[in-house]
Amino acid sequence: MRKTLLLVLTLMACPAFAHNIVGGVYAIGSLIEGEVGFSDGIMAQAGVPVIITDGKGNKLGEVQVEEEGLFSFEATRQIDHHFSIDLGSGHVLNTLLPADELPDSLGGSTPTETAATVSSANTSAVSLNDVDSVALQQMIERAVSKQVKPLRKELQAYKEKASLQDILGGIGYIFGLCGIGIWLRQRKSESQS
């Protein structure tokens, strides 16, 4: 019985070093920004490759993680963008930015068709008010993104953090199992007597 109790106390004293990979992507106009790191607050190191593919697995591009786990990619089409980031030691983040989060102006066509559409649109008359409204919309999207980015990070960290209630529940579960084991052992020794 002492050995069992000693084993339980030893296991409870060992800290848990497990952590999860966290991250996400979001669109600001046609620019897709993202961040990646671990639930303990350590962000991915600069230089880690980020592979971007479409829904069929065709490679759309590759960028690298910059300082503080941030990365960005300029979308050329309104399609689903799949991001794969390998941080090593089995830590891989696979995340998706759905096509509907990208602006309709990109279209779902191929890059050459998009370029042809843009060049023909440039030849048509564009009023100064249209240009100002587009620039204003982009400035607003960037400002909102700048304010929302820390909130997303805090929310993700909060989701990953174990609460005191979870920890106490786990300890209670362990003690309950130990109690059942001791009770079964005691019952077995009484029946043998």
Side-chain angles (χ1 to χ4, degrees), residues 25-176:
V25 292
Y26 38 89
I28 305 169
S30 62
L31 182 67
I32 302 172
E33 290 188 348
E35 59 186 340
V36 62
F38 297 98
S39 61
D40 60 3
I42 297 173
M43 300 309 289
Q45 294 181 354
V48 173
V50 179
I51 310 295
I52 304 101
T53 58
D54 63 11
K56 297 178 182 176
N58 300 318
K59 189 172 180 179
L60 299 174
E62 182 175 331
V63 296
Q64 291 187 346
V65 174
E66 298 169 2
E67 293 299 317
E68 298 184 27
L70 302 174
F71 60 90
S72 61
F73 178 74
E74 187 70 35
T76 57
R77 295 183 281 166
Q78 187 186 24
I79 59 173
D80 290 346
H81 286 71
H82 297 264
F83 293 81
S84 180
I85 308 156
D86 186 351
L87 298 177
S89 300
H91 294 101
V92 178
L93 175 68
N94 290 307
T95 188
L96 165 73
L97 181 82
D100 60 358
E101 292 188 23
L102 291 167
D104 294 333
S105 61
L106 290 177
S109 58
T110 62
T112 55
E113 292 171 358
T114 304
T117 306
V118 169
S119 65
S120 66
N122 288 340
T123 59
S124 64
V126 177
S127 72
L128 187 57
N129 290 335
D130 290 340
V131 173
D132 288 343
S133 67
V134 169
L136 180 62
Q137 182 179 357
Q138 289 176 347
M139 287 184 346
I140 291 170
E141 287 175 347
R142 286 188 184 112
V144 169
S145 171
K146 187 176 181 180
Q147 297 300 317
V148 170
K149 192 182 296 185
L151 296 174
R152 287 181 192 244
K153 194 174 186 178
E154 286 180 28
L155 181 62
Q156 189 66 32
Y158 179 73
K159 286 180 182 178
E160 296 295 326
K161 190 176 183 182
S163 69
L164 179 61
Q165 184 177 0
D166 295 334
I167 294 169
L168 292 176
I171 291 171
Y173 185 74
I174 291 169
F175 278 124

